[in-house]
Amino acid sequence: GQQLNQSPQSMFIQEGEDVSMNCTSSSIFNTWLWYKQEPGEGPVLLIALYKAGELTSNGRLTAQFGITRKDSFLNISASIPSDVGIYFCAGQAQGGSEKLVFGKGTKLTVNP
Amino acid sequence: GAVVSQHPSWVICKSGTSVKIECRSLDFQATTMFWYRQFPKQSLMLMATSNEGSKATYEQGVEKDKFLINHASLTLSTLTVTSAHPEDSSFYICSARGRGLYEQYFGPGTRLTVT
């Protein structure tokens, strides 16, 4: 089946630092979504990407849909303690399937 | 906008009983709803996809007689865990997608503990 490789698995950073994480796939995706999940909560949609090459920002977050349609990255600038959580990438494949394929997540820890 | 609620947020039940979890889209019509299961420190595992008024489509390995899904309206889907056993203890999360949209919006999850 389709798989997304998300890296890094975890990050420990100081407040104020920038963060970058990415997802790669062996197959092409039509849509890339980035979610953040906090303990005991459901994932919250951060950014949605629909076109190859698309670069979208949401506050301090920026994400890009790779030109090859097989990868995406998420950057967080000037991290703050409330950025702590697990970030998941998710892709919707070509072919019209409604299912999302999820990465395994990047656990972010921000030290104040 | 795009708010999804789940009820209950947590439930404890005895082995052999059934538990129903509700998922509601509060401010949009959800033509498709999804049910996921998440184990500690793991990613989300899709259990089934349901379209309003249709039978759910279950992922391979998910017992449809054990996890009953009903999507009776454009704002409500339910997951019933029948004859629950301790191994069914998990975090169950639903998501909803509106007509013509690609994004899935997630509910806050339901923590099920079977004793």
Side-chain angles (χ1 to χ4, degrees):
Chain A
Q2 294 164 320
Q3 289 185 328
L4 290 183
N5 296 310
Q6 185 171 351
S7 64
Q9 191 173 4
S10 62
M11 302 182 75
F12 297 84
I13 62 170
Q14 292 296 125
E15 183 177 358
E17 291 183 356
D18 297 343
V19 171
S20 184
M21 58 191 80
N22 70 85
C23 275
T24 59
S25 168
S26 58
S27 53
I28 291 173
F29 284 91
N30 274 345
T31 305
W32 284 93
L33 305 171
W34 284 92
Y35 291 90
K36 178 187 177 186
Q37 186 178 28
E38 298 187 29
E41 299 288 333
V44 174
L45 181 63
L46 300 174
I47 292 180
L49 303 160
Y50 306 105
K51 292 194 298 187
E54 180 181 354
L55 184 71
T56 298
S57 293
N58 177 8
R60 293 178 295 104
L61 278 62
T62 301
Q64 184 159 30
F65 191 146
I67 293 176
T68 64
R69 304 171 74 106
K70 294 183 178 180
D71 63 313
S72 176
F73 71 75
L74 173 71
N75 287 341
I76 305 173
S77 63
S79 59
I80 59 178
S82 61
D83 290 334
V84 165
I86 300 177
Y87 292 79
F88 290 100
C89 62
Q92 183 181 39
Q94 278 188 325
S97 171
E98 298 178 293
K99 296 191 292 189
L100 290 179
V101 179
F102 280 85
K104 294 188 175 182
T106 296
K107 183 177 180 180
L108 178 63
T109 302
V110 180
N111 295 314
Chain B
V3 179
V4 177
S5 70
Q6 268 182 256
H7 179 79
S9 55
W10 59 270
V11 57
I12 301 172
C13 70
K14 291 190 175 180
S15 189
T17 62
S18 295
V19 173
K20 180 185 283 189
I21 302 170
E22 291 187 349
C23 177
R24 293 182 185 272
S25 57
L26 299 184
D27 54 0
F28 68 103
Q29 293 187 327
T31 50
T32 307
M33 284 186 168
F34 304 83
W35 286 95
Y36 294 83
R37 185 172 178 176
Q38 187 176 35
F39 292 102
K41 299 185 180 181
Q42 293 193 19
S43 189
L44 291 82
M45 182 187 78
L46 180 65
M47 299 174 66
T49 302
S50 74
N51 292 297
E52 186 260 341
S54 304
K55 286 185 179 180
T57 301
Y58 290 81
E59 294 299 298
Q60 193 171 9
V62 177
E63 299 175 60
K64 57 182 165 184
D65 293 330
K66 179 165 189 62
F67 298 100
L68 301 178
I69 291 171
N70 184 278
H71 191 164
S73 77
L74 285 172
T75 59
L76 173 64
S77 176
T78 60
L79 167 68
T80 301
V81 183
T82 62
S83 187
H85 290 286
E87 57 265 30
D88 298 324
S89 298
S90 192
F91 193 51
Y92 293 88
I93 315 174
C94 72
S95 71
R97 201 181 86 164
R99 193 187 311 276
L101 301 178
Y102 292 106
E103 308 91 30
Q104 287 184 28
Y105 294 93
F106 285 84
T110 297
R111 172 75 56 195
L112 170 63
T113 302
V114 184
T115 61

